[in-house]
Amino acid sequence: MQTALELTDWRRRVAELYARVRAQADPADGHRIWREGRDRLFREHPQSPLADDDPLRRTGLPHWPYDPQLRFDVPLEPASAALRTIESRHDGIIRLRCIGRVTLAAIEVTLDVWWLGQYAGGLFLPLRDGTAGTETYGGGRYLLDTAKGADLGGTGGRLVVDLNLAYHPSCRYNSVWECPLAPAGNTTPVAIRAGERM
């Protein structure tokens, strides 16, 4: 029971953190709040994926400096309603349905946007770019996961996609966690040096 309550608290704190980020008029201020909040959660929270003796608890999670050119407010474009299933040890089969795509024209990248069939649904936008396996986790990073509150907003059929907030999933830090990784439509050879890094 205690673990379930701790995980609930973790998700609540993540959602509150993103709400504070969305409330900032200056995205760079939002990024600073996000960095400080993630470092605090990873350092102090009982559901942190970091081992107790992991040096990242002291140093914080490595990341690139904020780049305002890597924040986009883009329309959700139509895409085929492809379905994808992922086997997992603890959550059974994770079902994803492609609901559209976003184009980040300035860096010539198009990414699929998925709807998670678990957790009462939610938008999911993973990314595996040209830094994967060398400068970032080989399985990729996440940009949006609204089922867990990781959401930058958007209105009128648009999404805010800020590559500066690309983050490693918990499985990068601890093999106990299972994470859906970026499928082909979320993979690009473009090296995106923004967000969390190794």
Side-chain angles (χ1 to χ4, degrees), residues 41-59:
L41 280 169
F42 273 68
R43 181 176 58 248
E44 301 171 0
H45 201 278
Q47 281 291 308
S48 172
L50 298 178
D52 291 341
D53 61 349
D54 192 312
L56 292 176
R57 284 189 183 257
R58 293 186 308 280
T59 63

Side-chain angles (χ1 to χ4, degrees), residues 15-119:
E16 290 167 353
L17 176 60
Y18 276 85
R20 288 195 305 276
V21 169
R22 286 190 303 272
Q24 300 306 305
D26 183 350
D29 289 339
H31 179 260
R32 179 185 47 77
I33 289 168
W34 180 75
R35 288 288 355 123
E36 292 169 357
R38 269 190 64 84
D39 284 344
R40 187 176 312 107
L41 280 169
F42 273 68
R43 181 176 58 248
E44 301 171 0
H45 201 278
Q47 281 291 308
S48 172
L50 298 178
D52 291 341
D53 61 349
D54 192 312
L56 292 176
R57 284 189 183 257
R58 293 186 308 280
T59 63
L61 305 174
H63 62 280
W64 280 284
Y66 186 80
D67 182 348
Q69 300 301 311
L70 295 176
R71 179 182 172 90
F72 304 90
D73 182 337
V74 291
L76 182 61
E77 304 162 0
S80 67
L83 298 175
R84 180 173 172 81
T85 58
I86 302 167
E87 297 272 348
S88 72
R89 290 187 312 253
H90 304 293
D91 292 331
I93 295 175
I94 299 171
R95 291 176 178 81
L96 303 168
R97 179 173 45 91
C98 186
I99 62 162
R101 65 176 44 104
V102 291
T103 299
L104 313 178
I107 59 171
E108 299 179 356
V109 169
T110 298
L111 301 170
D112 289 340
V113 178
W114 298 87
W115 184 259
L116 280 170
Q118 273 69 2
Y119 316 118

